Amino acid sequence: MTQIEQRFQPNFLLHGADYNYEQWLDYPDILEEDFRLMREANCNVMSVGIFSWAMLEPAEGQYDFEWLDQLMDTLHENGIQAILATPSGAKPAWMSHAYPEIRRVDAQGRREPHFQRHNHCPTSPVYRQKVRQINTHLAKRYRAHPAVLMWHVSNEYNGGGCHCDLCYAAFRAWLRNRYGTLDALNHAWWTTFWSHRYTDWSQIEPVDGSIQGLMLDWQRFTSDQMLDFFLAEIEPLRAHTPDVPLTTNFMRPDVGLDYWRFAQHIDVVSWDSYPRWHSQPEEWPVAVETAFYHDLHRSYKNQPFLLMESTPSHTNWQGISRPKKPGMHLLSSMQAVAHGADGVQYFQWRQSRGGTEKFHGAVIGHVASRNARVFQDVKSVGAHLAQLSPATSVSQAEVALLYDFQNEWALTLAQLPRNEEKQYQERCIAHYRPFWQMAVPIDLIACSTSNLMPYKLIIAPMLYLLRQDIAARLDTFVRRGGTVVLTYLSGLVDESDLCFIGASPLRPMLGLWVEQTDVLFDHNTQTLELEADNDLGMSGSYPITHFADIVHTDTAIPVARYGHDYYAGQAAVTINRYGAGQCFYVAGRADTRFLHDFYTALSNNLQLARAVSAPLPLGVTAQQRRHGDQTALYLMNFQPSSQTVELDGGIYEDALTGERLRHSVDLEPLGVRIVWQRLQ
Ligand code: GLA
Ligand code: ZN
């Protein structure tokens, strides 16, 4: 942990929201009421200035910080800290018109009009200069302000890519740096295919999905270029406020950025979570997915993170978004804390009066009332967070799941015998789900940078693109006694998306080779049939869908065999003892029932620690977290009916009511209870 990371050890959990004070300057009564209600809701932080550039710099070089001074002072007077934003997420209209180069160009070469937000060119020297100027002013002006807690750098960067001349020149320079010569590039992209050979760097245009090496590198470049922009953006912040930690709000991992790389340059990870609660007949699958993303954000730095945005009720940009039902807000907020969040914040404090988000949920609605259920729900979260301070520990998981952005990009680009429903993210979540159900804590890892030693089990679903360092590290992990689970569609291409010739680097570890991948239509039938007396003590038959690798074993032993078609009887699940460890291969896409039974057996074999030993009812889970010198058990019920959790031995105490508990705890429908574990 660096010094500045250590500095972010607040002895309270954060509770607050995006606060757009500047929209209400003409409404003094409303502003006054805001601060009263913030105190009442136990809010101790507000994110401010996120989209304020046009207010801060109404004309080029003319600044107006008065309103922000006033806001910062008022926050401080009310005991509220500021997560102060840099405004680069939305550019002022005057700037877009004076300097068209700051607007992005699409793949057809059309420059965008001035509209929307989050759409600046990441390369434009003019935009970088303008951002440097405003950030320098902000940093100098507020560096000693007592309200400043942290920087909120920009807003929701994305890797959407800009096709302007400046970006193309930067891309070509990036390629020169990566490949050195055009010959090397032509080889890496296999451009002899379809006569795609480049004879000059200037011919390279990232608009051709048939050259997957090109498009994969373009995605890498756009991610790197946004990171480069971010590094330029934070220079004045680091220079003038070296002690102020900084964050930038991440999103779910499908915005084209390699967040593992970003995370290395920020002090605190934060993210914006908008699960689609109440969108399915059952709530808990949404909870599993959400837990996965929380764990991912905790894992980026293996540190507590912040839930920077969540809605206290509904959104207005999803097809259908129902207001949170009673209980859901507290439950979903505590879920984030259970998985490592040191704070819960909302978009937005007050619903704006106009504009596209005027019907988005907020703590205070247009009909502002402290009697509204949303406000009471928010208050209740505030009360819980106050009881739970401080919390800075992270889980010591024994299981890790490899989540690799570059693999996801390459797999998405690949033209396979089956292109429908490759579903990298969904499959990672499917492999994660049994651990959620068993209350076994799990980390996500990048593999090439993560320390693998604490883990007993590493799972890497669909590791299509296999970088050499990852292959080597997994191999060493198994030889030293670890257990690895790999699946179909793994180890097919190298880092340049070139297929491995002959043996995949995974062959020794897997003890098998893959001859072909069968792909299945929905009406096709395939199964895996468990071998008698297999190591996992499993039996019976499970369906296989979508993908089925046809394998030949070297040293691997079949645990299950295919039940149908011309490869019936060939291995479908294998175990290979390798060095001091073992590697499993699940050769076909198995259903959630199989994954559940498989990982339950494996967890028992490996004696993986669980937060609660007794089996949990379906839709109920548990997480453990240290708070100072106490351990809290978070028990969460995502079912619409009451549930009971059997506790391990010992004495427990409800964190909010102080009630003493033994043997079992009852959970209300959509209920959460946080209990301190007391030693007997
Ligand atoms: C994002 C943005 C916010 C707001 C919310 C609405 O997360 O960062 O400014 O638009 O979405 O859900
Ligand atoms: Zn550009």
Side-chain angles (χ1 to χ4, degrees), residues 296-308:
L296 179 60
H297 286 84
R298 185 195 67 241
S299 299
Y300 283 138
K301 283 184 86 68
N302 190 26
Q303 254 177 234
F305 64 95
L306 297 176
L307 179 58
M308 185 59 86

PDB file of all heavy atoms in Angstrom, residues 296-308:
ATOM      1  N   LEU A 296     -15.351  -7.843  -8.006  1.00  0.00           N
ATOM      2  CA  LEU A 296     -14.379  -7.431  -9.031  1.00  0.00           C
ATOM      3  C   LEU A 296     -13.772  -6.083  -8.646  1.00  0.00           C
ATOM      4  O   LEU A 296     -12.554  -5.892  -8.724  1.00  0.00           O
ATOM      5  CB  LEU A 296     -15.069  -7.357 -10.396  1.00  0.00           C
ATOM      6  CG  LEU A 296     -14.223  -6.929 -11.584  1.00  0.00           C
ATOM      7  CD1 LEU A 296     -13.050  -7.900 -11.803  1.00  0.00           C
ATOM      8  CD2 LEU A 296     -15.049  -6.866 -12.870  1.00  0.00           C
ATOM      9  N   HIS A 297     -14.619  -5.166  -8.208  1.00  0.00           N
ATOM     10  CA  HIS A 297     -14.100  -3.833  -7.862  1.00  0.00           C
ATOM     11  C   HIS A 297     -13.248  -3.875  -6.596  1.00  0.00           C
ATOM     12  O   HIS A 297     -12.267  -3.141  -6.488  1.00  0.00           O
ATOM     13  CB  HIS A 297     -15.243  -2.819  -7.783  1.00  0.00           C
ATOM     14  CG  HIS A 297     -15.742  -2.459  -9.152  1.00  0.00           C
ATOM     15  ND1 HIS A 297     -16.670  -3.226  -9.821  1.00  0.00           N
ATOM     16  CD2 HIS A 297     -15.382  -1.463 -10.000  1.00  0.00           C
ATOM     17  CE1 HIS A 297     -16.867  -2.704 -11.027  1.00  0.00           C
ATOM     18  NE2 HIS A 297     -16.113  -1.640 -11.161  1.00  0.00           N
ATOM     19  N   ARG A 298     -13.582  -4.728  -5.658  1.00  0.00           N
ATOM     20  CA  ARG A 298     -12.709  -4.894  -4.496  1.00  0.00           C
ATOM     21  C   ARG A 298     -11.361  -5.467  -4.942  1.00  0.00           C
ATOM     22  O   ARG A 298     -10.302  -5.091  -4.448  1.00  0.00           O
ATOM     23  CB  ARG A 298     -13.349  -5.831  -3.465  1.00  0.00           C
ATOM     24  CG  ARG A 298     -12.520  -5.939  -2.185  1.00  0.00           C
ATOM     25  CD  ARG A 298     -12.931  -7.114  -1.322  1.00  0.00           C
ATOM     26  NE  ARG A 298     -12.612  -8.368  -1.981  1.00  0.00           N
ATOM     27  CZ  ARG A 298     -13.502  -9.288  -2.318  1.00  0.00           C
ATOM     28  NH1 ARG A 298     -14.784  -9.124  -2.053  1.00  0.00           N
ATOM     29  NH2 ARG A 298     -13.118 -10.395  -2.939  1.00  0.00           N
ATOM     30  N   SER A 299     -11.422  -6.357  -5.919  1.00  0.00           N
ATOM     31  CA  SER A 299     -10.221  -7.078  -6.326  1.00  0.00           C
ATOM     32  C   SER A 299      -9.257  -6.245  -7.170  1.00  0.00           C
ATOM     33  O   SER A 299      -8.071  -6.555  -7.219  1.00  0.00           O
ATOM     34  CB  SER A 299     -10.613  -8.326  -7.115  1.00  0.00           C
ATOM     35  OG  SER A 299     -11.391  -9.199  -6.322  1.00  0.00           O
ATOM     36  N   TYR A 300      -9.756  -5.212  -7.857  1.00  0.00           N
ATOM     37  CA  TYR A 300      -8.858  -4.447  -8.741  1.00  0.00           C
ATOM     38  C   TYR A 300      -7.606  -3.997  -7.999  1.00  0.00           C
ATOM     39  O   TYR A 300      -6.528  -3.947  -8.561  1.00  0.00           O
ATOM     40  CB  TYR A 300      -9.573  -3.216  -9.307  1.00  0.00           C
ATOM     41  CG  TYR A 300     -10.541  -3.509 -10.430  1.00  0.00           C
ATOM     42  CD1 TYR A 300     -11.780  -2.880 -10.480  1.00  0.00           C
ATOM     43  CD2 TYR A 300     -10.218  -4.398 -11.450  1.00  0.00           C
ATOM     44  CE1 TYR A 300     -12.681  -3.134 -11.509  1.00  0.00           C
ATOM     45  CE2 TYR A 300     -11.118  -4.660 -12.476  1.00  0.00           C
ATOM     46  CZ  TYR A 300     -12.343  -4.032 -12.504  1.00  0.00           C
ATOM     47  OH  TYR A 300     -13.222  -4.295 -13.520  1.00  0.00           O
ATOM     48  N   LYS A 301      -7.791  -3.603  -6.749  1.00  0.00           N
ATOM     49  CA  LYS A 301      -6.613  -3.207  -5.969  1.00  0.00           C
ATOM     50  C   LYS A 301      -6.462  -4.059  -4.710  1.00  0.00           C
ATOM     51  O   LYS A 301      -5.625  -3.768  -3.857  1.00  0.00           O
ATOM     52  CB  LYS A 301      -6.708  -1.724  -5.551  1.00  0.00           C
ATOM     53  CG  LYS A 301      -6.393  -0.759  -6.667  1.00  0.00           C
ATOM     54  CD  LYS A 301      -6.407   0.674  -6.187  1.00  0.00           C
ATOM     55  CE  LYS A 301      -5.090   1.125  -5.606  1.00  0.00           C
ATOM     56  NZ  LYS A 301      -3.998   1.226  -6.581  1.00  0.00           N
ATOM     57  N   ASN A 302      -7.302  -5.081  -4.595  1.00  0.00           N
ATOM     58  CA  ASN A 302      -7.328  -5.874  -3.373  1.00  0.00           C
ATOM     59  C   ASN A 302      -7.416  -4.948  -2.162  1.00  0.00           C
ATOM     60  O   ASN A 302      -6.647  -5.053  -1.214  1.00  0.00           O
ATOM     61  CB  ASN A 302      -6.104  -6.791  -3.295  1.00  0.00           C
ATOM     62  CG  ASN A 302      -6.230  -7.787  -2.158  1.00  0.00           C
ATOM     63  OD1 ASN A 302      -7.343  -8.124  -1.760  1.00  0.00           O
ATOM     64  ND2 ASN A 302      -5.108  -8.237  -1.613  1.00  0.00           N
ATOM     65  N   GLN A 303      -8.395  -4.069  -2.238  1.00  0.00           N
ATOM     66  CA  GLN A 303      -8.582  -3.032  -1.237  1.00  0.00           C
ATOM     67  C   GLN A 303     -10.069  -2.694  -1.167  1.00  0.00           C
ATOM     68  O   GLN A 303     -10.774  -2.892  -2.161  1.00  0.00           O
ATOM     69  CB  GLN A 303      -7.902  -1.750  -1.723  1.00  0.00           C
ATOM     70  CG  GLN A 303      -6.630  -1.392  -1.037  1.00  0.00           C
ATOM     71  CD  GLN A 303      -6.027  -0.149  -1.674  1.00  0.00           C
ATOM     72  OE1 GLN A 303      -4.898  -0.190  -2.068  1.00  0.00           O
ATOM     73  NE2 GLN A 303      -6.776   0.912  -1.798  1.00  0.00           N
ATOM     74  N   PRO A 304     -10.524  -2.121  -0.067  1.00  0.00           N
ATOM     75  CA  PRO A 304     -11.910  -1.666  -0.060  1.00  0.00           C
ATOM     76  C   PRO A 304     -12.158  -0.651  -1.179  1.00  0.00           C
ATOM     77  O   PRO A 304     -11.247   0.067  -1.583  1.00  0.00           O
ATOM     78  CB  PRO A 304     -12.054  -0.996   1.303  1.00  0.00           C
ATOM     79  CG  PRO A 304     -11.019  -1.631   2.146  1.00  0.00           C
ATOM     80  CD  PRO A 304      -9.864  -1.907   1.224  1.00  0.00           C
ATOM     81  N   PHE A 305     -13.385  -0.623  -1.648  1.00  0.00           N
ATOM     82  CA  PHE A 305     -13.754   0.293  -2.739  1.00  0.00           C
ATOM     83  C   PHE A 305     -14.910   1.161  -2.265  1.00  0.00           C
ATOM     84  O   PHE A 305     -15.379   1.016  -1.133  1.00  0.00           O
ATOM     85  CB  PHE A 305     -14.146  -0.520  -3.985  1.00  0.00           C
ATOM     86  CG  PHE A 305     -15.369  -1.370  -3.787  1.00  0.00           C
ATOM     87  CD1 PHE A 305     -16.632  -0.922  -4.156  1.00  0.00           C
ATOM     88  CD2 PHE A 305     -15.277  -2.638  -3.217  1.00  0.00           C
ATOM     89  CE1 PHE A 305     -17.770  -1.701  -3.967  1.00  0.00           C
ATOM     90  CE2 PHE A 305     -16.409  -3.420  -3.012  1.00  0.00           C
ATOM     91  CZ  PHE A 305     -17.653  -2.951  -3.387  1.00  0.00           C
ATOM     92  N   LEU A 306     -15.336   2.063  -3.119  1.00  0.00           N
ATOM     93  CA  LEU A 306     -16.512   2.875  -2.806  1.00  0.00           C
ATOM     94  C   LEU A 306     -17.603   2.587  -3.822  1.00  0.00           C
ATOM     95  O   LEU A 306     -17.319   2.481  -5.016  1.00  0.00           O
ATOM     96  CB  LEU A 306     -16.172   4.367  -2.879  1.00  0.00           C
ATOM     97  CG  LEU A 306     -15.139   4.878  -1.888  1.00  0.00           C
ATOM     98  CD1 LEU A 306     -14.852   6.350  -2.156  1.00  0.00           C
ATOM     99  CD2 LEU A 306     -15.630   4.682  -0.455  1.00  0.00           C
ATOM    100  N   LEU A 307     -18.820   2.467  -3.326  1.00  0.00           N
ATOM    101  CA  LEU A 307     -19.957   2.442  -4.232  1.00  0.00           C
ATOM    102  C   LEU A 307     -20.248   3.909  -4.520  1.00  0.00           C
ATOM    103  O   LEU A 307     -20.868   4.594  -3.718  1.00  0.00           O
ATOM    104  CB  LEU A 307     -21.149   1.761  -3.548  1.00  0.00           C
ATOM    105  CG  LEU A 307     -22.434   1.689  -4.367  1.00  0.00           C
ATOM    106  CD1 LEU A 307     -22.219   0.962  -5.673  1.00  0.00           C
ATOM    107  CD2 LEU A 307     -23.532   1.009  -3.555  1.00  0.00           C
ATOM    108  N   MET A 308     -19.771   4.401  -5.641  1.00  0.00           N
ATOM    109  CA  MET A 308     -19.860   5.838  -5.904  1.00  0.00           C
ATOM    110  C   MET A 308     -21.262   6.261  -6.310  1.00  0.00           C
ATOM    111  O   MET A 308     -21.714   7.332  -5.949  1.00  0.00           O
ATOM    112  CB  MET A 308     -18.841   6.216  -6.978  1.00  0.00           C
ATOM    113  CG  MET A 308     -18.750   7.689  -7.267  1.00  0.00           C
ATOM    114  SD  MET A 308     -18.297   8.651  -5.798  1.00  0.00           S
ATOM    115  CE  MET A 308     -16.510   8.554  -5.831  1.00  0.00           C
TER     116      MET A 308
END
